[in-house]
Amino acid sequence: GDALLVQVARRLQDLLRPEDLAGRLGGDEFVVLAQDLGTDPQTAQRAAESLATRLREALDSPYALRGSPYSSAGSVGATLFPRGQTDAQDLLREADTAMYQAKAAGRNRTAFYEPAMQLRAQQELSLAQDLQRAWDLGQFAVYAQSQVDGAGRIVGGELLLRWFHPERGVVSPERFIPLAEESGLILRLGEWVLEQACITLAALSATHPEIRLAVNMSQRQFLQDDFVGRMATLLERTGAPAQRLVLEVTESLSMRDPNAALE
């Protein structure tokens, strides 16, 4: 790792002019300060884009680490100055925000800072903080969406997780599930949803023995080393019929390690 960082630093320095500056902020993040790129914003942005492309191409070239080839790449976030009362910390924050936008867009690309990015970042942070409190405050609920056959008969259902926020209203799973994945809260949420599914199936066994209930599984939950044991314990404790519980997983999850997924 250290050898790679040293080579990256050298490649950055080799591309810069004497008046420019390169430094390592920590971890695998570097900052480049390129001066006098243009007399107007459009010219400066074109020059910055050109520099960012050269930097990415340099980082994308193969590395030799202790005799072995190694591949890596870089995402670049850029911001222009001077602009109003922006200080050094503002510039670093803006470039950092743009870099994460470049990563979110698919990595190994360049993104320029826009004020809307900062607003989105603040909104996501606020939502993530609310999400952590939502579990303790009991703001989650599950609903069964019916599954019907061609004749309109209910043959099963899919258990859906919903978050009811006192100010935000109903928060879309598309917004909060990725945040729950990042924070690890998805493990507690996922286990609770599975428990609700098992309790529901057990209650339906007497009156609707043919009903199947499906639950969406997160990758983090499914790939836990003790997942099978926890699932077996849950089935035994609730008395739910295992053959009527459907665990839905994504194709990407099963293709990452097909043998482990099948097992």
Side-chain angles (χ1 to χ4, degrees):
D2 289 345
L4 176 62
L5 290 171
V6 169
Q7 289 191 37
V8 167
R10 287 174 180 161
R11 292 185 185 190
L12 296 179
Q13 289 174 315
D14 288 344
L15 282 172
L16 298 181
R17 304 164 299 178
E19 64 267 29
D20 297 332
L21 179 70
R24 177 168 167 253
L25 293 178
D28 61 351
E29 291 189 0
F30 291 80
V31 63
V32 169
L33 179 65
Q35 303 185 64
D36 300 322
L37 294 180
T39 56
D40 61 85
Q42 289 74 27
T43 303
Q45 179 157 339
R46 286 195 296 270
E49 287 174 347
S50 175
L51 174 58
T53 299
R54 297 198 305 275
L55 291 173
R56 289 204 339 267
E57 288 174 349
L59 297 178
D60 199 29
S61 300
Y63 298 83
L65 301 176
R66 297 184 178 177
S68 299
Y70 184 79
S71 297
S72 187
S75 299
V76 179
T79 188
L80 299 177
F81 70 93
R83 189 179 63 252
Q85 300 300 311
T86 306
D87 61 19
Q89 290 303 315
D90 292 331
L91 288 173
L92 286 172
R93 187 188 69 251
E94 290 174 4
D96 195 53
T97 300
M99 181 193 67
Y100 280 103
Q101 186 73 18
K103 287 185 175 182
R107 298 177 179 272
N108 195 21
R109 59 185 63 202
T110 301
F112 273 81
Y113 174 78
E114 299 171 2
M117 289 181 182
Q118 190 65 28
L119 178 59
R120 284 197 300 270
Q122 290 171 344
Q123 290 173 339
E124 289 298 298
L125 177 60
S126 174
L127 188 65
Q129 292 170 340
D130 284 355
L131 181 63
Q132 290 297 325
R133 291 191 289 267
W135 173 258
D136 297 326
L137 296 173
Q139 295 174 355
F140 293 103
V142 288
Y143 287 85
Q145 177 173 282
S146 299
Q147 296 173 336
V148 300
D149 63 13
R153 291 185 297 265
I154 295 178
V155 295
E158 180 179 2
L159 216 59
L160 303 175
L161 179 64
R162 292 292 180 260
W163 174 17
F164 295 91
H165 190 280
E167 283 89 35
R168 300 177 188 270
V170 181
V171 183
S172 168
E174 292 182 353
R175 291 197 67 195
F176 74 80
I177 291 297
L179 293 174
E181 291 268 8
E182 291 176 14
S183 67
L185 180 62
I186 195 67
L187 297 178
R188 281 187 287 172
L189 281 173
E191 188 157 350
W192 179 70
V193 172
L194 274 176
E195 183 179 32
Q196 299 305 305
C198 289
I199 291 172
T200 303
L201 272 176
L204 287 170
S205 293
T207 55
H208 299 79
E210 75 288 352
I211 292 292
R212 295 157 63 89
L213 201 55
V215 176
N216 283 305
M217 298 293 303
S218 83
Q219 293 197 25
R220 292 190 63 171
Q221 186 180 9
F222 188 73
L223 296 177
Q224 291 179 104
D225 292 337
D226 62 345
F227 173 71
V228 174
R230 296 166 77 99
M231 190 73 253
T233 299
L234 184 57
L235 288 166
E236 184 179 0
R237 177 164 57 83
T238 59
Q243 69 274 17
R244 292 197 284 111
L245 177 65
V246 181
L247 304 182
E248 297 190 347
V249 297
T250 61
E251 294 85 349
S252 59
L253 185 152
S254 54
M255 290 306 294
R256 178 181 295 179
D257 189 343
N259 292 330
L262 284 171
E263 185 180 354

